[in-house]
Amino acid sequence: MTPFARLHHTGEPLLLPNAWDHASALALVAEGFGAVATTSLAVAAGAGLPDGASVTRDETLRLALTLGNGPFLLSVDAEGGFSQDPDAVGEFARQLAVVGVVGINLEDGSGSAAVHAAKIAAVKKAAPDLFVNARTDTHWLGEGDERDTLRRLDAYQQAGADGVFVPGLSDPARIATLVRHLHAPLNILYSPTGPALSHLADLGVRRVSLGSLLYRRALGAAVETATDIRAGRTPCGGTPTYAQVQGLVV
């Protein structure tokens, strides 16, 4: 079991924050987060491109090149692998592993479960040590029912997924049902209106992702600061110093 995989089998869930550049990743590491993920929304928005449209392969790889050899474990959000060809997805995963990435998040977009399972199998063949977090979007997109979710997760586990991810799921009873059904660690997307981290831990969740939340809050804080200054108000909230940001350069 790799060091990253072991983080999914400890006494508490892996809280995985999602960075969008070198500074955000290193700032999180400085606060004690030994594992960091990327977020596809931030990668796409930073390039002026739509998220989930399979158009940010190069930008995603470029960020992985920037962060892959950092002093932390890196997992990359790769949308659906940027291809419907399982072999092409496997090759992309191999390139990520070469630059130091230890995990990949692959989403099915509620498309074909068979195709997604083939992608997972191709990734495990091309990069056996890469932790594959297989995401199903049935709850996220409001499509399918609980039986469809279970069917998909079963297929992804059988294909070799190391963990499974059901964003949009926040009902404690349904989370507990999934945990009992699965043999792979369950990943849940944190929501400020959903169960607290301690409650998710009690339910048996093994990984809690923050997704695009940090990036969206950073954007919100930037806009709020500008509008406060324009309105004559003093901005509030934490602000790293120039020296502190410079200190993140390694």
Side-chain angles (χ1 to χ4, degrees):
M1 186 179 293
T2 67
F4 186 62
R6 280 197 294 272
L7 293 177
H8 298 73
H9 298 275
T10 65
E12 58 186 27
L14 167 62
L15 178 60
L16 192 63
N18 300 69
W20 55 93
D21 60 10
H22 181 272
S24 58
L26 269 292
L28 290 164
V29 172
E31 288 300 318
F33 291 95
V36 175
T38 64
T39 164
S40 65
L41 174 64
V43 172
L49 296 169
D51 184 30
S54 197
V55 294
T56 57
R57 182 187 187 280
D58 292 346
E59 288 79 7
T60 300
L61 186 56
R62 189 175 303 118
L63 182 58
L65 283 165
T66 300
L67 301 179
N69 290 317
F72 54 92
L73 300 171
L74 175 66
S75 182
V76 167
D77 182 357
E79 297 187 6
F82 307 112
S83 176
Q84 289 301 99
D85 177 3
D87 288 338
V89 177
E91 172 57 20
F92 181 71
R94 186 195 66 79
Q95 293 177 38
L96 292 178
V98 166
V99 300
V101 174
V102 299
I104 185 172
N105 191 75
L106 289 175
E107 61 196 52
D108 63 11
S110 75
S112 167
V115 170
H116 201 61
K119 292 180 183 181
I120 293 165
V123 169
K124 294 306 292 184
K125 180 179 179 181
D129 290 336
L130 199 65
F131 187 101
V132 177
N133 197 44
R135 165 177 153 176
T136 182
D137 290 309
T138 47
H139 283 272
W140 190 249
L141 300 177
E143 300 176 0
D145 56 20
E146 195 145 342
R147 288 174 298 177
D148 184 43
T149 298
L150 291 173
R151 178 179 62 84
R152 288 173 178 272
L153 296 183
D154 278 341
Y156 303 160
Q157 289 181 127
Q158 292 170 17
D162 301 286
V164 293
F165 186 19
V166 189
L169 181 61
S170 60
D171 178 75
R174 291 185 176 181
I175 292 172
T177 297
L178 274 186
V179 169
R180 289 193 296 269
H181 178 87
L182 298 166
H183 64 257
L186 177 62
N187 182 188
I188 292 295
L189 181 67
Y190 172 80
S191 169
T193 59
L197 181 62
S198 58
H199 191 183
L200 291 172
D202 291 340
L203 293 171
V205 173
R206 304 312 311 145
R207 170 166 157 177
V208 179
S209 297
L210 299 185
S212 64
L213 178 63
L214 300 183
Y215 177 69
R216 290 183 287 114
R217 283 186 62 86
L219 285 179
V223 172
E224 184 178 359
T225 298
T227 55
D228 277 347
I229 293 170
R230 183 176 63 188
R233 296 186 294 268
T234 301
C236 58
T239 305
T241 66
Y242 182 92
Q244 287 172 325
V245 175
Q246 281 287 82
L248 298 175
V249 178
V250 294

